Amino acid sequence: QVQLVESGGGSVQAGRSLRLSCTGSGNTNEGYCMAWFRQVPGQGREGVARVFLDGSTMYADSVKGRFTADKDNTKNSVYLQMNSLQPEDTAMYYCASRRTSIARRCTLSSTDYNNWGQGVAVAVSS
């Protein structure tokens, strides 16, 4: 399994931006679907965005137009640019990977992923 390490979390005021990074210990482009999830205490992990092998993306409705996911194959990294942050975006954010070459299996469902980073905290104040 590729080890995933997130960074870039922090505390910001509403309306500001953060950029999360997730770096893999190996070549994350070798057949991996990469995704971002978030979780607040007492709730399940919510899929936020995912990037497929070909760079195509998918987003949760709650973040469309505000968040952008992309990847840099040369750095074995994926990113989550979060703009216009709101207090409801406060959560632990996790990077996850799944080895698949089939786009429909590159989902926003946490149960489809078997490899996770340790998470990074994002706090947005009003």
Side-chain angles (χ1 to χ4, degrees), residues 19-122:
R19 183 171 173 84
L20 305 183
S21 300
C22 172
T23 300
S25 59
N27 188 342
T28 56
N29 191 47
E30 286 186 347
Y32 285 96
C33 166
M34 305 298 295
W36 288 97
F37 293 82
R38 64 186 181 187
Q39 187 173 26
V40 297
Q43 297 184 21
R45 289 187 181 180
E46 175 194 16
V48 175
R50 67 81 162 145
V51 184
F52 189 50
L53 304 177
D54 60 0
S56 62
T57 54
M58 179 188 295
Y59 299 95
D61 288 343
S62 58
V63 305
K64 281 181 181 177
R66 300 189 299 123
F67 290 12
T68 302
D70 64 310
K71 63 176 182 174
D72 185 336
N73 294 333
T74 66
K75 297 181 179 179
N76 293 328
S77 295
V78 294
Y79 306 97
L80 186 66
Q81 177 67 41
M82 305 186 294
N83 298 329
S84 301
L85 283 162
Q86 299 300 316
E88 53 265 34
D89 295 317
T90 296
M92 283 293 291
Y93 283 72
Y94 298 88
C95 176
S97 69
R98 177 185 185 182
R99 193 155 193 168
T100 181
S101 60
I102 301 174
R104 69 175 184 272
R105 294 180 180 174
C106 189
T107 71
L108 291 177
S109 175
S110 61
T111 56
D112 289 340
Y113 292 81
N114 57 4
N115 190 36
W116 296 84
Q118 83 288 351
V120 63
V122 171

